[in-house]
Amino acid sequence: MKSTNQYPVIKTALLSYGMSGKVFHAPFIHHHPGFELTAVWERSKKTAMDDYPSIQVVHQLEEILNNQEIELVVVNTPTATHFEYAQKALLAGKHVIVEKAFTTSEKEADILIELAERQGRILSVYQNRRWDSDFQTVQKIVSQQLLGTIHTATIRFERFKDILSAKLHKEQPGPGAGLLMDLGPHIIDQALVLFGMPMAVEAHIRTLRTHSMVDDDFLIHLLYNNLRVTLISSLLVPHPVDAYLIHGSKGSFIKQRADIQESALLKQAQPFTDNWGIEPEAYAGRLITNYNGTENEARVDSIPGNYGEYYENIFSAIRLNEPLKVSGSEGKNVMKIIEAAIQSQAEKRQIIINR
């Protein structure tokens, strides 16, 4: 972690305190010395003060926007509100982090990106899954070119939630609802980090759960010159299989989704500590290579996960003018893929991506 003593802390506000605020944002803001968790917007409750007694709880967004001391606003509200709240925060002169999905359309993403540039403020998308231990390990294997020429890759993110969520914004049809807009941005972003923008997209999107009114299962093919990347997600998988399968001309890498940070945060573990994000050894990846007809299999221990790296980069971007690791433009690219997937499903054909 960079030394922060010579810089003023970045006073930060959260726009909600549900699971996202309580688990994925507040602990990292609170425990990073470069930030101060200053305010939380809670519509009716004051639960954030139970965890952080010194913060200010507000009941109106304007109380945050008009507070000149607050520099950074985290828009972690339902997806359908992201554009409106991020736009208001940028117009108020704030730096902005937006939860995934970034927006509900590529057009909205373009407007926010242009506004952030005009205002001279950073605009980032919270893609914390880039810092999962499993994905960090996959990324290292791919970058080391141990598999030869990669021709096929599969990334899965599956859960078993056959009972509909009590959160109506997740289950009622409308902008931002459905699994493609929920878990989709995570694995789409991971694919784009590994392989860049594809040439074309083909998608199959379904609704499987009883009484569900939104999509809860999808398969997306990202098509490159000689590479096919398959992204799979569902809410009806009682026993998930390996989440990452990367195949190349000289080998394969197979890895479970095994990052422990979310479960640790749910138990109120403190980040930025020794041994943070270390997977159990039982979840090590398998690297199988075949050179000159000789097959070898090796165990690959995972790189520790650390969502704190995301906030470390936000601090560096605001105080040191270092590049953002997750920019608004990258959030826009995810939206481009999601819109192409929806169009592919509707028209039952491949959609060419304008890169």
Side-chain angles (χ1 to χ4, degrees):
M1 187 182 296
K2 291 184 176 69
S3 173
T4 62
N5 294 335
Q6 65 270 44
Y7 303 102
V9 296
I10 299 169
K11 295 191 175 185
T12 304
L14 297 176
L15 295 196
S16 74
Y17 200 68
M19 179 180 173
S20 169
K22 182 181 180 71
V23 174
F24 292 113
H25 292 285
F28 295 97
I29 296 167
H30 178 71
H31 291 290
H32 190 296
F35 294 90
E36 175 189 286
L37 183 56
T38 303
V40 174
W41 181 18
E42 290 195 89
R43 282 69 177 164
S44 56
K45 302 178 181 179
K46 291 187 177 182
T47 57
M49 292 186 71
D50 294 337
D51 297 327
Y52 306 100
S54 64
I55 67 168
Q56 178 186 6
V57 170
V58 304
H59 298 308
Q60 300 293 331
L61 175 60
E62 287 69 28
E63 294 178 72
I64 289 173
L65 301 182
N66 295 333
N67 186 333
Q68 298 302 308
E69 293 188 340
I70 293 173
E71 292 185 70
L72 174 64
V73 170
V74 180
V75 181
N76 58 324
T77 49
T79 300
T81 66
H82 285 182
F83 174 75
E84 176 189 354
Y85 294 157
Q87 185 181 50
K88 286 182 176 180
L90 288 168
L91 288 170
K94 313 299 186 184
H95 301 291
V96 175
I97 293 170
V98 185
E99 261 283 2
K100 59 79 194 166
F102 180 28
T103 53
T104 61
S105 70
E106 183 183 355
K107 181 179 179 181
E108 288 181 345
D110 275 328
I111 293 171
L112 292 181
I113 291 166
E114 181 182 351
L115 177 58
E117 292 175 353
R118 192 164 67 244
Q119 293 288 91
R121 294 294 180 263
I122 72 157
L123 174 64
S124 179
V125 184
Y126 186 65
Q127 286 289 4
N128 62 310
R129 297 293 177 178
R130 290 192 189 185
W131 286 272
D132 277 352
S133 54
D134 37 60
F135 181 69
Q136 289 277 297
T137 308
V138 170
Q139 190 175 12
K140 180 181 178 180
I141 293 294
V142 170
S143 67
Q144 290 177 333
Q145 300 182 329
L146 300 175
L147 308 179
T149 301
I150 295 173
H151 53 76
T152 307
T154 302
I155 304 176
R156 311 175 74 110
F157 199 160
E158 294 158 313
R159 292 173 170 167
F160 186 65
K161 293 186 175 182
D162 58 335
I163 298 175
L164 302 189
S165 172
K167 297 179 179 179
L168 296 181
H169 67 270
K170 288 181 174 286
E171 299 289 2
Q172 292 184 338
L179 188 65
L180 181 59
M181 292 290 283
D182 186 17
L183 296 185
H186 285 315
I187 56 178
I188 293 170
D189 180 74
Q190 289 183 343
L192 299 186
V193 169
L194 292 175
F195 305 112
M197 287 292 285
M199 299 172 61
V201 172
E202 180 180 306
H204 305 274
I205 305 168
R206 303 187 291 176
T207 299
L208 298 180
R209 295 170 302 158
T210 303
H211 305 306
S212 177
M213 295 184 292
V214 298
D215 62 277
D216 51 27
D217 179 283
F218 66 79
L219 180 150
I220 299 172
H221 291 308
L222 305 182
L223 305 172
Y224 301 76
N225 280 327
N226 289 307
L227 166 66
R228 183 186 68 231
V229 178
T230 302
L231 308 177
I232 299 173
S233 187
S234 178
L235 294 181
L236 273 185
V237 178
H239 184 72
V241 297
D242 293 313
Y244 302 92
L245 297 93
I246 316 294
H247 304 296
S249 59
K250 296 296 182 181
S252 299
F253 186 65
I254 303 168
K255 180 75 182 74
Q256 296 183 48
R257 185 175 298 281
D259 187 87
I260 66 168
Q261 293 179 88
E262 181 174 340
S263 60
L265 291 164
L266 285 168
K267 296 174 184 175
Q268 298 185 319
Q270 179 179 324
F272 301 113
T273 54
D274 293 340
N275 301 320
W276 178 262
I278 298 177
E279 280 186 17
E281 293 182 358
Y283 296 116
R286 296 168 57 208
L287 175 64
I288 301 103
T289 57
N290 195 316
Y291 285 85
N292 301 319
T294 301
E295 182 176 292
N296 291 288
E297 180 169 342
R299 165 199 177 96
V300 178
D301 291 327
S302 294
I303 298 170
N306 187 2
Y307 299 156
E309 289 291 328
Y310 176 85
Y311 271 103
E312 178 73 1
N313 175 246
I314 294 296
F315 175 85
S316 297
I318 293 175
R319 289 291 182 252
L320 306 176
N321 292 317
E322 293 186 5
L324 278 173
K325 291 186 177 179
V326 191
S327 67
S329 295
E330 290 172 292
K332 170 188 170 180
N333 286 340
V334 170
M335 291 311 307
K336 186 187 291 283
I337 300 299
I338 288 176
E339 289 190 336
I342 294 170
Q343 183 181 354
S344 172
Q345 171 69 23
E347 299 178 8
K348 307 300 182 186
R349 67 181 180 91
Q350 289 183 10
I351 304 300
I352 305 301
I353 295 295
N354 180 9
R355 295 186 289 180

